[in-house]
Amino acid sequence: MALQSLDIKQRSATTTATPSVRQTVEVAKLIDVTTCIGCKACQAACMEWNDIRDEIGTCSGVYDNPTDLTENSWTVMRFAEVEEAGKLEWLIRKDGCMHCADPGCLKACPSPGAIIQYSNGIVDFHEENCIGCGYCITGCPFNVPRISKKDGKAYKCTLCSDRVAVGQAPACVKACPTGALHFGAKEDMQDYAASRIIDLKSRGYDQAGLYDPPGVGGTHVMYVLHHADRPGLYSGLPKDPSISPLVSLWKGFAKPLATVAMAAVALGSLFHYVTKGPNEVSKQLEDELEKEDAP
Amino acid sequence: MIRNPKDLTRYTPQERVNHWLGGICFILLALSGLAFFHPAFWPLTQLFGGGVWARILHPFIGVLMAGSFLSLFLRFRSLNVMTPADKEWLSRAGEMLDGKDHNLPEQGKYNGGQKLMFWALAIGMLLLLITGIVLWRAYFNLPVDVVRFAAVIHAAAAAVLIAVVMVHIYAAIWVKGTMRAMWYGTVTRAWAKQHHRAWYRQVTGK
Ligand code: HEM
Ligand code: SF4
């Protein structure tokens, strides 16, 4: 999405300051997994608002449909059946971009301005600058971005940055019939989540909690979970996600180090030449050979 | 008209074409690859018609280079076996750098430094090819941990090889009378006697 903006916190592959004169309130979407019924109204609303249609797939035998995020499905419901204390629990998680405060995609992206983080926390892909390398997938701790087979660009949830920019809540939040989805200032969402957690604990979910993983600086999509101690139950939500150390090495430390090392070799060669001079063929050897040649 | 029929042939036309093909590919790969590596190099994508073209072309040029390097490797492999004399040469490479190479052990077609570069290139090329294919998202989608590891290795191997090749090119500029070996294949006898005396004896019988 391309929007004129004065509140850009970070821009991919950019080493100078971004236009950031305007500060906005940090926002968040709160997904209360405990009140979600898996109706997929949010999935449909996402398709509607963003005007994207996935290919019609096949039933895989469970409710997951489509079975994975794609360039056309920016949010999908994941259904997990787990047994807890002798009872079957149907844990349904709305999957999609978490809008990390410390986004691995943005860190890895080589193309200036293909990934933007606004000061409100939304991490947005600007596809017109995307080169389709897929580094964002490599950088993402949540396996979210997808590259389109049609145009070779990366796509994911925008947190409806276009709607939020004009004071609207994301389309999915608008559509949710049970009120499992909430949107607002991140602080307000945390407060609301706290009240939900108190309620859940009073009803026997001792481990109920908020999923706002600190390893990625917190996220701007948060979950209320009944089993916050074991997020993996929810179709493999990572327990303690962070940008992989390999990615930090690759797009952090190694970048300046290798650049300086290569420049040093180039300059070292130049200065070797101007200090030592060329390594010429000795005149004496040439003369000797010429003498040998003379009949 | 050739200047001196007694000049020594160092490379056949096939070897030279092979070398230039690999060299051109390498330079294009370095320019496009660096553009993805650090934002400071991003403008280099313009040489390829923009970022998307650089991303599309890089891996294909890589495969071409790997093929051409394999052929070069097979041609020169046996000439690059390390000998004790090479090891001694390497331990005294400082003298070479000072331009005072007359006391160093006699060298065959390649000196210890050149052989070291040959093997560094061989290992580096293999690493770049394998990791490059792993990184090739347009056609491959491997487990993310493997891709992350490959990205680090690819970037590191590329940085090392770019440095190695810069030294290689500089050596050819620094040691006068060398460049023509790759332009048209011959060197003077004096050049050979000075820098690769064992090879000189071998080809002239002196
Ligand atoms: C041998 C075959 C090679 C293959 C198949 C290959 C493939 C790739 C691929 C797929 C990428 C990711 C960007 C893209 O999708 O275009 C990449 C990045 C890169 N390549 Fe290669 N490559 C090869 C050789 C080389 C060589 C010889 C060099 C250096 C001279 C090089 C330097 C780089 C660099 C610096 C990057 C960026 C890494 C980063 O972002 O940190 N590659 N390569
Ligand atoms: S594919 Fe991802 S990492 Fe690559 S340019 Fe596009 S947004 Fe950036």
Side-chain angles (χ1 to χ4, degrees):
Chain A
M1 292 302 305
L3 286 173
Q4 275 275 306
S5 182
L6 304 178
D7 45 8
I8 293 173
K9 191 169 163 209
Q10 280 189 79
R11 189 174 180 272
S12 54
T14 303
T15 45
T16 52
T18 50
S20 54
V21 71
R22 188 163 63 201
Q23 284 301 309
T24 48
V25 175
E26 222 179 304
V27 296
K29 173 164 77 184
L30 183 69
I31 302 173
D32 184 352
V33 169
T34 66
T35 51
C36 169
I37 56 169
C39 70
K40 301 184 187 170
C42 52
Q43 251 179 250
C46 179
M47 291 167 59
E48 277 295 321
W49 175 259
N50 294 300
D51 221 347
I52 42 175
R53 298 290 182 273
D54 216 327
E55 266 168 48
I56 297 182
T58 49
C59 176
S60 64
V62 288
Y63 276 73
D64 296 52
N65 183 10
T67 51
D68 197 8
L69 297 167
T70 70
E71 63 272 28
N72 293 311
S73 297
W74 297 347
T75 185
V76 296
M77 310 307 294
R78 297 192 185 275
F79 297 78
E81 290 164 30
V82 297
E83 238 182 82
E84 282 299 312
K87 276 195 326 195
L88 178 74
E89 284 189 19
W90 207 19
L91 304 179
I92 307 163
R93 177 165 69 88
K94 171 176 152 60
D95 194 11
C97 177
M98 300 294 286
H99 298 272
C100 307
D102 186 12
C105 56
L106 192 148
K107 186 175 189 111
C109 177
S111 181
I115 304 183
I116 298 282
Q117 184 184 43
Y118 298 106
S119 69
N120 65 11
I122 295 180
V123 179
D124 214 357
F125 284 11
H126 285 195
E127 278 79 9
E128 76 271 28
N129 295 331
C130 170
I131 64 166
C133 61
Y135 284 11
C136 46
I137 306 173
T138 308
C140 177
F142 293 97
N143 183 22
V144 165
R146 296 289 184 270
I147 301 225
S148 160
K149 274 152 232 70
K150 194 167 102 197
D151 59 22
K153 308 285 178 200
Y155 293 93
K156 69 162 190 71
C157 158
T158 67
L159 206 62
C160 285
S161 56
D162 49 348
R163 294 174 59 91
V164 174
V166 294
Q168 296 279 313
C172 56
V173 175
K174 278 274 180 193
C176 179
T178 66
L181 300 181
H182 300 262
F183 182 80
K186 178 160 177 175
E187 224 183 310
D188 294 347
M189 293 300 106
Q190 285 166 326
D191 289 348
Y192 178 71
S195 68
R196 284 292 306 138
I197 290 158
I198 291 170
D199 178 52
L200 284 163
K201 285 192 169 160
S202 76
R203 295 197 285 137
Y205 291 105
D206 302 337
Q207 299 301 326
L210 179 67
Y211 186 83
D212 179 20
V216 290
T219 52
H220 296 91
V221 170
M222 305 183 294
Y223 292 109
V224 171
L225 304 176
H226 346 53
H227 308 291
D229 55 330
R230 280 169 298 157
L233 293 178
Y234 301 82
S235 308
L237 186 62
K239 185 163 171 64
D240 197 7
S242 65
I243 297 180
S244 156
L246 286 170
V247 173
S248 302
L249 173 67
W250 170 42
K251 288 292 164 183
F253 187 58
K255 271 203 304 196
L257 187 76
T259 306
V260 169
M262 284 184 290
V265 172
L267 284 175
S269 302
L270 176 73
F271 285 115
H272 179 262
Y273 200 85
V274 298
T275 53
K276 304 281 179 188
N279 186 342
E280 304 266 19
V281 175
S282 123
K283 180 86 177 55
Q284 195 190 336
L285 265 181
E286 275 175 357
D287 291 347
E288 275 170 29
L289 283 165
E290 228 158 78
K291 230 176 267 162
E292 274 177 37
D293 287 347
Chain B
M1 203 48 213
I2 50 171
R3 185 169 143 85
N4 187 345
K6 292 199 168 149
D7 284 344
L8 306 175
T9 300
R10 196 160 160 87
Y11 293 111
T12 65
Q14 290 84 344
E15 288 167 341
R16 288 173 345 244
V17 167
N18 195 164
H19 176 270
W20 280 105
L21 187 64
I24 291 166
C25 288
F26 187 91
I27 289 168
L28 293 177
L29 284 162
L31 295 174
S32 53
L34 285 174
F36 309 133
F37 179 62
H38 193 294
F41 300 113
W42 180 253
L44 295 172
T45 55
Q46 293 307 318
L47 300 171
F48 299 84
V52 180
W53 272 117
R55 184 270 299 171
I56 293 171
L57 291 174
H58 179 98
F60 288 107
I61 302 172
V63 171
L64 186 64
M65 182 202 62
S68 107
F69 182 79
L70 178 66
S71 151
L72 210 62
F73 176 82
L74 295 176
R75 288 173 199 275
F76 296 145
R77 175 186 43 168
S78 52
L79 291 163
N80 280 282
V81 179
M82 282 278 180
T83 64
D86 295 324
K87 298 223 170 94
E88 194 193 336
W89 187 96
L90 280 173
S91 67
R92 291 166 56 191
E95 292 170 45
M96 180 74 202
L97 279 181
D98 259 345
K100 302 192 181 82
D101 49 348
H102 39 270
N103 292 324
L104 287 169
E106 276 190 12
Q107 295 292 305
K109 186 159 182 180
Y110 298 113
N111 64 38
Q114 290 171 304
K115 290 181 183 177
L116 196 64
M117 192 214 65
F118 179 85
W119 293 107
L121 271 183
I123 295 166
M125 292 284 175
L126 188 65
L127 286 176
L128 283 167
L129 178 66
I130 296 168
T131 55
I133 287 171
V134 173
L135 284 179
W136 205 348
R137 286 269 184 204
Y139 300 102
F140 301 95
N141 197 3
L142 291 137
V144 72
D145 288 322
V146 178
V147 180
R148 285 173 184 156
F149 189 66
V152 175
I153 303 292
H154 197 82
V160 171
L161 278 207
I162 289 170
V164 164
V165 168
M166 283 197 292
V167 172
H168 173 67
I169 295 170
Y170 172 66
I173 295 171
W174 178 53
V175 180
K176 296 297 159 196
T178 305
M179 214 53 112
R180 52 180 285 177
M182 265 311 150
W183 284 128
Y184 41 90
T186 61
V187 289
T188 65
R189 287 167 300 161
W191 181 94
K193 197 168 178 185
Q194 178 170 333
H195 300 298
H196 298 276
R197 190 159 296 189
W199 178 67
Y200 169 80
R201 291 188 205 291
Q202 187 196 333
V203 290
T204 60
K206 283 184 189 154

